[in-house]
Amino acid sequence: LQEDMAIINDPNYTQVTLTGTDNAPSALARVYWNPSKESVYLSVARMDDLPEGKVYQLWALVDGQPVDAGIFTPEDSLIEMKAIGMGQAFAVTIEDEGGAESPALETLQVIGNVATS
């Protein structure tokens, strides 16, 4: 819990709120991203359990292209995801177990843009 709080409160991490789409209007998650360290952590506030054989997959939008940031199951703590050095947005889709090479946009659950300064 202390490690989670240190990341959440670290000013070097950008917080990106991912809000629900029409597929999952009440879903909510947050990404904590430190581009200089290429560190990505995910906090799931509200996402449904998935049926067997399905996983959630986080994507980063980098220069207009989706980049796999890892698969996950919702947990109570921060989930460390794959390293991402740059990006304009983050999104979560539902994929077959093991993840996908490109997102199934018809299963898009949450999405959020990275704030630009």
Side-chain angles (χ1 to χ4, degrees):
L1 185 60
Q2 286 180 335
E3 288 178 24
D4 289 358
M5 291 306 296
I7 290 166
I8 289 169
N9 293 319
D10 187 331
N12 295 310
Y13 279 84
T14 299
Q15 179 179 306
V16 183
T17 300
L18 310 181
T19 56
T21 66
D22 289 343
N23 294 328
S26 66
L28 180 66
R30 284 190 181 81
V31 166
Y32 297 90
W33 175 48
N34 184 327
S36 62
K37 287 186 172 182
E38 299 187 2
S39 298
V40 177
Y41 290 88
L42 178 68
S43 172
V44 176
R46 285 189 309 268
M47 294 184 100
D48 294 334
D49 291 333
L50 293 175
E52 183 125 356
K54 296 291 184 181
V55 295
Y56 286 112
Q57 188 164 357
L58 179 67
W59 302 91
L61 191 65
V62 179
D63 293 330
Q65 298 299 313
V67 175
D68 171 30
I71 59 175
F72 67 93
T73 54
E75 298 175 11
D76 289 335
S77 61
L78 286 181
I79 305 163
E80 186 172 7
M81 303 303 291
K82 292 182 179 179
I84 300 291
M86 49 185 287
Q88 294 80 45
F90 288 92
V92 172
T93 58
I94 297 173
E95 306 293 346
D96 290 331
E97 195 168 315
E101 290 185 22
S102 61
L105 296 178
E106 67 275 9
T107 68
L108 186 64
Q109 300 294 292
V110 292
I111 190 165
N113 292 320
V114 175
T116 56
S117 41

